[in-house]
Amino acid sequence: MQSVDRAVSVLEILARHGEAGVTEIADELDVHKSTAFRLLGVLENRGLVGQASDRGKYFLGAGVLRLAGAAAVRLDVSQEGVPVCREAADELGETVNIAVLDDDAAVNVMQARGTASVTAQNWLGRRTPLHATSSGKVLLAHMPPALREGFLARPLHRFTERTVTGAALLRTELDSVVERGYALTTDELELGLAAAAAPIRAHDGKVIAAISVSGPVYRLGPERLPVVAKRMAAAGEELSRRMGYGF
């Protein structure tokens, strides 16, 4: 019973502080660091805590949602996405964003810039069209069918000669997005801009956001873009796990 009590205390400490290291937790529990480390290891294996690899700090994991069920408050995708976006941006050297659906647009709520995108434009807070962006296409592809068809029935703005505005062609593309797990765009919103995005799911499997990478076509050309798209799919899966999906 003492171990159970200590494990619950660890969760309460992390809930109170947001994140804490082994030493801090051991001090609050009044136990040796090795005991605290073992407790954290068990909790981490069950998905109840996670560890920030760059700082060694522990935080509450998405497994808490599994225990709390549908009544739990959903973890904030923009906060949970910080380490995932930062890692992907550092690895790819490009700008990585998280976007959520906002009526008939996608709005970017989190952004991390890679080394190659220092002078890139700021997408944070921007509303972008669903049919002409990779994140938008992911969100559109996973809309309830009635809502998606309602959107496709509207006249769609053509931003460039590459923008897909025909309902039949766009519908086929959205089906492909669902099937392969990511969306691609090149020259559709702006000439010279390419992007790839993948879905982020909540604990119940519903797509609640999209994670994307974007950059100039000369860096994200036909050969590299599908490669970074698969990296985004992996990032989306990781963030979905953080949100409680799969537990």
Side-chain angles (χ1 to χ4, degrees):
M1 291 299 295
Q2 186 181 47
S3 295
V4 174
D5 183 71
R6 286 173 172 172
V8 172
S9 295
V10 169
L11 297 177
E12 291 176 340
I13 290 168
L14 295 178
R16 189 165 60 250
H17 296 297
E19 61 179 21
V22 176
T23 301
E24 298 169 75
I25 292 171
D27 288 344
E28 288 213 29
L29 293 177
D30 195 24
V31 299
H32 193 273
K33 282 178 62 176
S34 61
T35 301
F37 188 79
R38 286 196 298 272
L39 288 168
L40 287 163
V42 172
L43 293 170
E44 187 175 20
N45 287 339
R46 300 302 295 269
L48 297 175
V49 305
Q51 185 178 24
S53 58
D54 56 335
R55 300 187 310 280
K57 299 275 189 177
Y58 288 86
F59 50 82
L60 288 179
V64 172
L65 290 179
R66 171 170 52 88
L67 300 179
V73 177
R74 192 186 69 204
L75 293 175
D76 188 333
V77 67
S78 61
Q79 293 179 356
E80 285 294 310
V82 171
V84 178
C85 287
R86 182 73 269 160
E87 181 181 356
D90 289 344
E91 178 184 329
L92 299 173
E94 305 292 349
T95 300
V96 176
N97 281 282
I98 292 176
V100 298
L101 188 65
D102 182 23
D103 192 16
D104 59 352
V107 61
N108 293 294
V109 296
M110 195 274 154
Q111 178 175 271
R113 293 185 180 182
T115 54
S117 59
V118 174
T119 59
Q121 59 182 300
N122 183 13
W123 294 97
L124 192 60
R126 277 187 61 178
R127 284 169 53 87
T128 57
L130 297 179
H131 68 290
T133 61
S134 60
S135 290
K137 288 184 180 182
V138 166
L139 297 171
L140 188 55
H142 292 278
M143 269 187 185
L147 291 179
R148 186 175 76 170
E149 288 305 311
F151 180 89
L152 294 178
R154 308 175 189 176
L156 300 177
H157 181 71
R158 185 180 297 276
F159 295 91
T160 75
E161 66 271 16
R162 295 286 301 275
T163 307
V164 180
T165 59
L169 187 57
L170 189 53
R171 188 180 293 111
T172 298
E173 184 177 351
L174 295 176
D175 289 341
S176 297
V177 169
V178 174
E179 182 178 351
R180 69 189 178 193
Y182 58 82
L184 303 175
T185 56
T186 299
D187 295 324
E188 293 188 42
L189 179 64
E190 299 176 5
L191 292 176
L193 178 67
I200 300 168
R201 299 179 185 274
H203 67 283
D204 59 0
K206 180 181 178 182
V207 173
I208 55 172
I211 184 168
S212 69
V213 59
S214 60
V217 172
Y218 67 83
R219 287 202 303 261
L220 296 179
E223 293 185 0
R224 190 178 181 221
L225 192 57
V227 175
V228 300
K230 292 178 180 178
R231 178 63 180 86
M232 285 299 98
E237 290 173 0
E238 179 183 350
L239 189 44
S240 296
R241 286 193 295 270
R242 286 175 174 263
M243 298 302 296
Y245 180 63
F247 286 101

